[in-house]
Amino acid sequence: MTRERAKAILDRLGVAVADDGGGEPLESVDPASGRIQGCIHALTRAQYDARVLTALRRFEEWRMRPAPKRGEVVRRLGELLRGHKEPLGELVSLETGKIRAEGVGEVQEMIDICDFAVGLSRQLHGLTIASERPRHRLTEQWHPLGAVGIVTAFNFPVAVWTWNAALAAVCGDVCLWKPSPLTPLSSAAVQALCDKVAAEHGADGVFTLVPGGSEAGAWLCDDPRVPLVSFTGSIATGKIVAARVAARLGRTLLELGGNNGVIVLDDADLDLAVRAITFGAVGTAGQRCTSTRRLFVQRGVAPSVIDRLASAYRTVRIGDPLEDGILMGPLITGAAVDRYRAALAAAREQGGKVVCGGRVLERPGNFVEPALVLAPRHDAFPIAWEETFAPILYVFEVADLDEALRAHNAVTQGLSSAIFTDSLRSAELFLSPAGSDCGIANVNAGTSGAEIGGAFGGEKETGGGRESGSDAWKAYMRRQTSTLNWGRDLPLAQGIAFGT
């Protein structure tokens, strides 16, 4: 039934999944059953080079197409995504194991990004700067970079591509997409929609799929024809990507690990906090880069928060992600289940106590229970300094906000963070330079669920990149400073006199 269900969704999408790769098979394995539900093939090196050349030929025209006209192509892509939102969201759920609401929500995020990018296509603005020289005009303008390599992860197999590709396309770039080999059907389905848009608008080569494993990612990293590589994934792999691209003096945009923390103070609205923490820790089975992994609770409310969380965890229905009422699906692979087991074993050895959940479910698929772990001091609990991509929440009791901030900021990751408090002073301290050291800092809102209007990314080993909203578009362009002399004299800057 697994293949039949995947085929039925693809039939509802009305797209033909292209499979012209000559390399190894990339199998889509249903994480809820462990069965193969489809397959495409990786590209050979010759096929990769051919697709890059096609994209670069398109770039010569695309960079000169007016940006609002480029925006029309992205607008049409958004329209197709709207028309295919439900089946594409279900396909995402089928491949990743995230529940249907999250799968469909991911496609909505793609639609929102397309809307954002269409507006952006009329706002790629530079600067006019006052010149110190008479009858001179000094400006800064932005030009397309060229071919942008986009390497995405399994947990957001299509939305993260859109964060990059929609913005890069309106900026005048062409996009080479190396998706996760764990989610080949979702990426191939989106590419089929892109091909339809390209045929309608004479834009073949703007959006190009480069399916493959680690070797395809290495081709992008080492390719001097690709000035920017945007990589989403683990810190360990991100370091390799950064080094390989830097070796040829290319650019990287890195979205890496996030060991995200929430602080709950005595004056917090506990109902609000518990709802946000539960979704942050349990949503997507803890497989978001913004998932809540560490919780710092002030001692006065710690017993109540722990009891409320345990009660909430016990109501979480685990099962087939496309079934109504399910709140948590499976982990992505059996290896992810092994890492879940190992992390909990390490937590127990280091003095942690599992107060809720923590079992691997004896059934087909990669199902586990969300785990709530009472931990000793943060500096005496090394497992909490690592990011385990699983629904494990470590809970620390703290005396005050100062202690919580010291522990919160001690880890090497710096993506998302949150505080729950009704104190204006505590909230402002958390958002100040002395507060959270993360790229995302929220007050009375959880660590997950970032809006597309704000730039998304983190600090420290999270990579420092920014994608999606705000001025993230500048990462996909090159800056040029220009001077125009409309006089008949040639004054030099800094008042330098040279000869006569």
Side-chain angles (χ1 to χ4, degrees), residues 208-282:
T208 300
L209 191 66
V210 185
S214 58
E215 73 291 335
W219 297 339
L220 285 172
C221 289
D222 297 338
D223 196 336
R225 299 169 295 181
V226 182
L228 171 67
V229 175
S230 174
F231 172 81
T232 301
S234 70
I235 291 171
T237 305
K239 289 179 177 179
I240 296 171
V241 169
R244 293 187 77 145
V245 177
R248 59 176 175 86
L249 298 181
R251 300 189 195 180
T252 52
L253 199 168
L254 302 174
E255 297 287 356
L256 310 178
N259 194 354
N260 312 295
V262 170
I263 297 171
V264 179
L265 298 184
D266 286 347
D267 58 9
D269 179 333
L270 298 189
D271 288 338
L272 189 68
V274 168
R275 290 202 305 273
I277 294 162
T278 302
F279 172 70
V282 174

Side-chain angles (χ1 to χ4, degrees), residues 29-51:
V29 178
D30 177 9
S33 68
R35 296 175 181 170
I36 296 172
Q37 57 194 353
C39 174
I40 68 172
H41 285 77
L43 299 186
T44 64
R45 180 59 198 248
Q47 289 175 314
Y48 164 83
D49 285 329
R51 293 193 182 187

Side-chain angles (χ1 to χ4, degrees), residues 64-135:
M64 296 302 294
R65 194 179 298 196
K69 296 296 184 183
R70 300 193 294 252
E72 290 180 7
V73 176
V74 175
R75 177 187 56 78
R76 177 59 178 147
L77 176 60
E79 289 175 351
L80 284 181
L81 290 169
R82 276 187 175 87
H84 296 79
K85 182 169 78 169
E86 298 296 324
L88 182 56
E90 290 178 12
L91 185 61
V92 168
S93 294
L94 202 62
E95 286 204 294
T96 64
K98 62 174 63 175
I99 62 173
R100 185 182 181 280
E102 290 188 271
V104 173
E106 179 169 350
V107 182
Q108 182 61 52
E109 190 169 355
M110 300 175 76
I111 295 165
D112 294 343
I113 284 288
C114 287
D115 286 348
F116 178 89
V118 172
L120 179 65
S121 69
R122 295 181 181 270
Q123 301 179 70
L124 299 173
H125 52 77
L127 293 173
T128 299
I129 304 164
S131 175
E132 67 181 73
R133 292 170 286 181
R135 293 180 173 82

